[in-house]
Amino acid sequence: MTKQNKPKNKPAPGMPSRQQIIDFITSSDQPAGKREIARAFALSGQEKIALKALLKDMSDEGLIDVAPGRAFHKMGGVPKVTVLRIVEADGDTVWAVPERWEAEGIPVPRLRVREKRGPGGALGVGDRILARTEEAGKGWIAHPMKKLAKGEEAVLGVVKEEGGRLYLQGLDKKERASPVISERNGAEPGDLVMAEISGKGPRLFAKVSEILGDPFAPRSFSLIAIHKHDIPNVFSEELLAEAERVAKQPLGEGREDLRDLPIVAIDPADARDHDDAVWATPDDDPTNEGGWKAIVAIADVSFYVRPGSLLDREARKRGNSVYFPDRVVPMLPEVLSADVCSLKEGVERAALACHMRISADGEITDWRFSRAVVKLAANIAYEDAQAAIDGAAEHPLTETALRPLWNCWAALNKARAKREPLDLDLPERRIVLDEKGRILSVAPRERLDAHKLIEDYMIAANVAAAKALEKKKAPVMYRIHEPPSREKLVALKDYLKTLDVAFALGQVVKPATFNHVIARTKEADFHAEVMTQVLRTQTQAYYGPQNAGHFGLSLGSYAHFTSPIRRYADLVVHRALTEAFKLGPGGELPSDKDMAKTGELISKLERRAMEAERDTIDRYVAAYLAAHVGEVMEARITGVQSFGFFATVDGVGGDGLVPARDLGREYFRYDEAGQRLVGEDTGVEFALGQRLELKLVEANPVSGALRFELPDGKGSGSGEDRRRKGGPPRPLHRRGRPANIRHQGKKR
């Protein structure tokens, strides 16, 4: 072994463990391939063959990855020497990313480049370098060794024409640079394209590599989000072949037969997959008088997607399915997600069943888990199930399946009311498209008792899964929602004070604390904004192996179990249950360290999916409102800053800005605590939650941006024009407080 490749502590000879291999390649000063590992541990003959097999297993398990030149590095890490691409260069601060990154499911790391000035000049965006890398704290440092031939960066944008030249307009609302298009390759103004960016500073150029079509076509909106957020949306041929192969396997021996039970799946009418189904009946056990027996049957995805398989690695890389109005980007190939693992009426399916005994008060008194075979009695839409229970429509399963489910839910509802979870009634926007993907309507989604019923059965099964694994002392992938921070509580208190709503900080804050605030403001015109502020006060939920409870649901132990088709977290829980209860193949009990790493990853991927879905909804809303540009509409203020306020159209959504400079000749002071802009002379205010009339002047479907003005042209034109046009219009609703609030300055 050369001196340069020698780690700090020479390893003992003999076949190394997985951890010893990771320690060696991590501490080695030089790239470490199979030859270097074998030499370090003094392996020979058959041991080298065994080492090769071990390294392949470690690669399949996601522990290590291989870089060009067959050198290994820890999965999620960066090779000792690798090619990097510069993605940001601002003065002396330069950032780069690996040009090749195949650590599945792990976000691409950004490396701080310690640039050495020399021949070739400073590094710019798009430059490629060969660099030596090192881990520093929680980040990475790159030391350039050699500047390589110029690289290209692929971006998504729209072709724009100005002054006889073509430019590439980025899709992000904050995008500033618009590179000149040097090679159009057939692209016309208005086309949505993929382009390769080169150059640096103000001299950026774009070469069109692919024409994607009309950016204003509704089906382009989700495509934009997929590209913008780097969401994997294509399965390899090898992976699809594996999915087809495992889908054909028999259901397996020893499954509990639940085919004769009238189990039903209640889902949205347009559901693309069906992971869960439910059944309930009165419990005939005299020790549970007035109680119930219930089954929540979940698609047995872990039977088909085994740990370390290609399917598993791709699912972990995606983390979850991503749902758009016009398409779904699934976590698993459709032969599994929409077919073999989807619980369908009249078809035998493999399921992991959670059997629960529920008391008359709705408490879960006992549970067990089994691998089962089910044959659903029906797939029922929420609206149809509700209509059957309400007597508005007939359904053959009303008395045998639906009525018992509703009666058992009445008990579950008692337990829910007792624990008082956070009760936020914030409407979800529903985009309705026609068969060609054109927008028919944008409206709040109606929330029925049928939705709440399924939600409570799923919560009960998730609690049972967490407690069952705890009782077995097995690792749990918890769904964690921590209590709000004191800083957020103080901000909420300051905001509520401006509404004359008391909120004491000395108390132990529980979900019920917020529910009482919501109830007290129910009849106020600012009720919706109070709920929004309560939501913003909450912490973001995440996944991890260390239990911290679920504050919002007011539960001590909670894990996601009910959606393994679309969430990797649920698949992890299924495997743990399968192993802990010895239910057959496909089980796994990963270490806390592996669970923590996976939890961190899938939490990040969940946030990515949420952002992509939200961006796409904004684009659809902007496209829907584009036909109403120039109209005056009722809106509600959803955010206030020193530079202006944001407002959303009632019943439709989509935030747009009204700049403070466009509010007339009067100077407006920003009251941060009260979240309002206050006129210095008149005391007229624009405050969070306030409803008023605004004129829509721009709706950009490509970026999802909206822009509003005050009605009757106020606020348009030059600054001098604005000063001549007088003060702001009267709001539709005053908030019942005196206007003399000039003394309220910005709070620190």
Side-chain angles (χ1 to χ4, degrees), residues 633-651:
M633 49 194 68
E634 288 197 11
R636 181 169 54 87
I637 296 178
T638 55
V640 182
Q641 296 292 332
S642 59
F643 53 80
F645 64 82
F646 292 92
T648 186
V649 179
D650 276 357

Side-chain angles (χ1 to χ4, degrees), residues 14-16 21 34-35 37-39 41-58 72:
M15 191 65 186
I21 290 175
K34 182 168 69 71
R35 179 182 301 175
I37 296 171
R39 186 183 299 135
F41 291 92
L43 304 183
S44 61
Q46 291 297 116
E47 289 178 324
K48 290 184 178 180
I49 297 175
L51 174 66
K52 182 178 180 181
L54 176 58
L55 292 172
K56 184 179 186 304
D57 288 344
M58 290 177 69
F72 293 100

Side-chain angles (χ1 to χ4, degrees), residues 115-191:
E115 187 176 0
K116 293 181 179 179
R117 303 285 177 175
L123 295 172
V125 174
D127 282 343
R128 299 166 68 241
I129 57 171
L130 182 67
R132 178 174 58 82
T133 69
E134 64 172 323
E135 198 166 4
K138 294 184 178 180
W140 292 84
I141 299 294
H143 302 275
M145 298 168 62
K146 180 182 179 183
K147 191 171 180 179
L148 304 175
K150 188 69 175 180
E152 295 171 327
E153 179 187 5
V155 298
L156 199 65
V158 177
V159 178
K160 294 291 183 182
E161 185 174 17
E162 185 176 328
R165 303 186 74 177
L166 296 181
Y167 297 86
L168 184 73
Q169 181 184 38
L171 300 178
D172 198 305
K173 296 177 186 178
K174 300 178 182 178
E175 192 74 46
R176 295 179 181 178
S178 295
V180 174
I181 295 178
S182 57
E183 295 183 43
R184 63 194 296 174
N185 290 328
E188 297 293 336
D191 282 346

Side-chain angles (χ1 to χ4, degrees), residues 500-516:
D500 297 326
V501 177
F503 185 75
L505 289 180
Q507 61 189 317
V508 176
V509 176
K510 299 178 180 179
T513 309
F514 298 110
N515 292 342
H516 295 157

Side-chain angles (χ1 to χ4, degrees), residues 110-418:
R110 284 166 61 94
L111 295 86
R112 178 78 174 264
V113 179
R114 288 188 175 167
E115 187 176 0
K116 293 181 179 179
R117 303 285 177 175
L123 295 172
V125 174
D127 282 343
R128 299 166 68 241
I129 57 171
L130 182 67
R132 178 174 58 82
T133 69
E134 64 172 323
E135 198 166 4
K138 294 184 178 180
W140 292 84
I141 299 294
H143 302 275
M145 298 168 62
K146 180 182 179 183
K147 191 171 180 179
L148 304 175
K150 188 69 175 180
E152 295 171 327
E153 179 187 5
V155 298
L156 199 65
V158 177
V159 178
K160 294 291 183 182
E161 185 174 17
E162 185 176 328
R165 303 186 74 177
L166 296 181
Y167 297 86
L168 184 73
Q169 181 184 38
L171 300 178
D172 198 305
K173 296 177 186 178
K174 300 178 182 178
E175 192 74 46
R176 295 179 181 178
S178 295
V180 174
I181 295 178
S182 57
E183 295 183 43
R184 63 194 296 174
N185 290 328
E188 297 293 336
D191 282 346
L192 177 67
V193 300
M194 286 291 292
E196 295 163 348
I197 305 298
S198 59
K200 59 184 178 182
R203 295 187 61 79
L204 288 176
F205 297 94
K207 180 175 73 174
V208 174
S209 58
E210 184 180 357
I211 301 171
L212 300 175
D214 180 3
F216 294 93
R219 296 194 188 278
S220 293
F221 301 151
S222 54
L223 183 64
I224 290 170
I226 288 167
H227 282 277
K228 176 184 173 184
H229 294 279
D230 293 323
I231 295 172
N233 67 322
V234 177
F235 292 111
S236 69
E237 292 298 326
E238 183 183 6
L239 184 136
L240 291 173
E242 182 176 293
E244 292 284 352
R245 186 170 64 254
V246 302
K248 294 175 182 176
Q249 63 184 323
L251 298 183
E253 301 295 328
R255 289 186 178 274
E256 184 175 8
D257 191 347
L258 302 178
R259 289 174 293 182
D260 292 336
L261 295 180
I263 300 176
V264 297
I266 304 176
D267 291 298
D270 57 354
R272 285 128 171 175
D273 48 53
H274 307 273
D275 341 62
D276 57 84
V278 289
W279 170 86
T281 192
D283 193 351
D284 54 9
D285 190 327
T287 64
N288 189 27
E289 185 177 353
W292 298 83
K293 292 188 293 185
I295 295 174
V296 174
I298 305 299
D300 190 2
V301 177
S302 65
F303 179 72
Y304 297 97
V305 182
R306 303 292 173 86
S309 66
L310 195 58
L311 281 166
D312 176 47
R313 292 167 64 187
E314 182 68 19
R316 187 176 184 274
K317 174 182 176 181
R318 296 180 178 224
N320 45 252
S321 297
V322 188
Y323 292 86
F324 300 110
D326 66 314
R327 74 182 79 196
V328 58
V329 179
M331 184 178 78
L332 299 170
E334 286 194 9
V335 68
L336 296 177
S337 62
D339 188 8
V340 174
C341 291
S342 193
L343 304 182
K344 297 181 178 180
E345 178 179 340
V347 182
E348 292 184 1
R349 287 288 186 254
L352 189 58
C354 173
H355 303 252
M356 295 177 287
R357 293 185 70 186
I358 299 168
S359 72
D361 293 330
E363 300 294 335
I364 306 169
T365 60
D366 193 19
W367 58 77
R368 70 179 177 89
F369 290 85
S370 70
R371 267 191 160 149
V373 55
V374 298
K375 190 175 182 180
L376 263 58
N379 291 95
I380 309 175
Y382 283 118
E383 294 80 4
D384 294 340
Q386 189 68 56
I389 286 296
D390 293 343
E394 293 184 1
H395 196 285
L397 294 172
T398 299
E399 299 305 322
T400 56
L402 296 179
R403 191 74 64 191
L405 282 170
W406 250 260
N407 292 338
C408 177
W409 175 55
L412 289 173
N413 226 358
K414 291 179 185 178
R416 182 187 184 96
K418 183 178 179 181

Side-chain angles (χ1 to χ4, degrees), residues 699-736:
N700 187 340
V702 177
S703 66
L706 304 176
R707 188 166 64 86
F708 296 109
E709 283 184 357
L710 300 175
D712 305 321
K714 290 185 176 68
S716 61
S718 68
E720 184 60 34
D721 290 337
R722 286 192 293 270
R723 285 191 290 273
R724 283 198 297 264
K725 286 176 180 173
R730 292 184 61 83
L732 292 177
H733 302 280
R734 294 303 300 264
R735 292 152 58 95

Side-chain angles (χ1 to χ4, degrees), residues 295-581:
I295 295 174
V296 174
I298 305 299
D300 190 2
V301 177
S302 65
F303 179 72
Y304 297 97
V305 182
R306 303 292 173 86
S309 66
L310 195 58
L311 281 166
D312 176 47
R313 292 167 64 187
E314 182 68 19
R316 187 176 184 274
K317 174 182 176 181
R318 296 180 178 224
N320 45 252
S321 297
V322 188
Y323 292 86
F324 300 110
D326 66 314
R327 74 182 79 196
V328 58
V329 179
M331 184 178 78
L332 299 170
E334 286 194 9
V335 68
L336 296 177
S337 62
D339 188 8
V340 174
C341 291
S342 193
L343 304 182
K344 297 181 178 180
E345 178 179 340
V347 182
E348 292 184 1
R349 287 288 186 254
L352 189 58
C354 173
H355 303 252
M356 295 177 287
R357 293 185 70 186
I358 299 168
S359 72
D361 293 330
E363 300 294 335
I364 306 169
T365 60
D366 193 19
W367 58 77
R368 70 179 177 89
F369 290 85
S370 70
R371 267 191 160 149
V373 55
V374 298
K375 190 175 182 180
L376 263 58
N379 291 95
I380 309 175
Y382 283 118
E383 294 80 4
D384 294 340
Q386 189 68 56
I389 286 296
D390 293 343
E394 293 184 1
H395 196 285
L397 294 172
T398 299
E399 299 305 322
T400 56
L402 296 179
R403 191 74 64 191
L405 282 170
W406 250 260
N407 292 338
C408 177
W409 175 55
L412 289 173
N413 226 358
K414 291 179 185 178
R416 182 187 184 96
K418 183 178 179 181
R419 72 174 194 269
E420 293 188 279
L422 189 61
D423 187 16
L424 288 173
D425 186 19
L426 292 168
E428 176 188 352
R429 283 176 290 174
R430 180 169 181 252
I431 309 293
V432 179
L433 307 176
D434 65 14
E435 68 282 354
K436 294 184 178 180
R438 294 173 299 198
I439 307 164
L440 293 177
S441 66
V442 180
R445 190 184 295 272
E446 185 180 9
R447 184 160 169 78
L448 307 169
D449 281 350
H451 293 98
K452 300 173 186 176
L453 174 139
I454 292 300
E455 181 180 286
D456 281 339
Y457 276 105
M458 297 305 109
I459 289 173
N462 287 338
V463 170
K467 290 186 173 180
L469 289 172
E470 288 174 346
K471 195 169 183 180
K472 287 284 186 178
K473 300 191 183 317
V476 185
M477 182 62 79
Y478 290 102
R479 179 62 168 176
I480 302 163
H481 182 227
E482 297 185 40
S485 66
R486 179 167 178 81
E487 291 78 10
K488 287 190 173 184
L489 291 172
V490 169
L492 179 64
K493 175 182 169 66
D494 290 343
Y495 166 69
L496 292 174
K497 186 177 179 181
T498 68
L499 304 176
D500 297 326
V501 177
F503 185 75
L505 289 180
Q507 61 189 317
V508 176
V509 176
K510 299 178 180 179
T513 309
F514 298 110
N515 292 342
H516 295 157
V517 170
I518 293 168
R520 291 205 305 274
T521 62
K522 191 168 185 179
E523 300 304 320
D525 63 328
F526 48 80
H527 175 66
E529 198 52 48
V530 167
M531 286 197 295
T532 300
Q533 289 303 302
V534 168
L535 178 63
R536 290 173 179 171
T537 302
Q538 308 307 308
T539 60
Q540 190 161 32
Y542 63 95
Y543 295 104
Q546 302 301 320
N547 189 17
H550 197 294
F551 176 81
L553 292 174
S554 197
L555 291 168
S557 297
Y558 193 66
H560 275 166
F561 160 75
T562 55
S563 295
I565 288 176
R566 61 186 180 91
R567 291 190 305 227
Y568 193 80
D570 303 56
L571 181 54
V572 171
V573 170
H574 275 233
R575 288 171 176 165
L577 288 166
T578 299
E579 184 65 23
F581 288 90

